[in-house]
Amino acid sequence: RDALDRMIAQQLVRFAVQPILHAQTGDVYGYELLMRTNVRELPDPTTVLRLAAAEGKLARIDRLTWMVGLEAIRTFVQNRATPPNAKFFLNSIANQSLLDDDERTIAELYGSLLPRLVIEVTEGERNNEECTRHKLDFVHRHGGEIAIDDYGTGYNSEMALMQINADIVKLDISFVHNVDTDPDKQALIQNLIRYARERGIAVLAEGVETREEMRTLI
């Protein structure tokens, strides 16, 4: 508990970045920002979220993610470390809502970056619909986009896809692994791509590790 309080108060987190490539061109489409802690007692984000939930501090973790994440994005952009139009994917806790003061601060400090921001919401979370809607409206109002993360792992994936006005759906890694040899996975992915294409939703495949998986997905 002391470690969690110290992490929040001193913002002892950093972000690793993972590239996202465009299937048609191979160019960098964007980067996923992956939170890492600088606190020995909290070795991974799962531990942080579990402890924060027990302590009633998820809202503070969500705010920390936004503030430190956007500052990292600003550093990347200022240092020209990323392509000029690359998008930045940032996870947000679905059942937590930013305060009005936080939204104003984010708009003032990072308004120019928000059109390049993609907020990821995990569809498996039993989220508070009002909190989620408030956050998604804020992102869309400033030109950003919404992605459904870990699609296919929740209790009602199709319902989440219909309820959340998403711009991108991220296919969970469990559907991607060995897709080249699994006809059932291929059929499910084909259905998703067909549904998404008709509605102008982009599909992103997580965790592609082999050439065969890549070729099959493309």
Side-chain angles (χ1 to χ4, degrees), residues 169-180:
V169 57
K170 297 181 66 181
L171 187 66
D172 186 71
I173 192 171
S174 60
F175 286 88
V176 172
H177 279 182
N178 302 317
V179 65
D180 53 303

Side-chain angles (χ1 to χ4, degrees), residues 175 179 181-191:
F175 286 88
V179 65
T181 60
D182 192 327
D184 291 335
K185 289 182 179 180
Q186 293 171 20
L188 289 168
I189 294 173
Q190 285 174 343
N191 288 336

Side-chain angles (χ1 to χ4, degrees), residues 1-64:
R1 291 171 181 170
D2 289 343
L4 180 68
D5 289 340
R6 187 169 74 253
M7 188 199 82
I8 294 172
Q10 300 179 26
Q11 297 190 340
L12 299 177
V13 298
R14 66 189 189 282
F15 284 91
V17 293
Q18 179 171 281
I20 299 168
L21 304 182
H22 198 293
Q24 290 180 326
T25 65
D27 295 334
V28 172
Y29 175 79
Y31 296 90
E32 181 172 4
L33 276 70
L34 305 169
M35 180 187 283
R36 300 289 184 262
T37 75
N38 294 326
V39 180
R40 178 178 54 81
E41 300 92 331
L42 302 171
D44 58 75
T46 302
T47 303
V48 171
L49 291 173
R50 186 170 61 246
L51 181 59
E55 294 290 301
K57 295 176 180 177
L58 283 176
R60 296 178 66 184
I61 296 297
D62 197 48
R63 184 184 186 278
L64 178 67

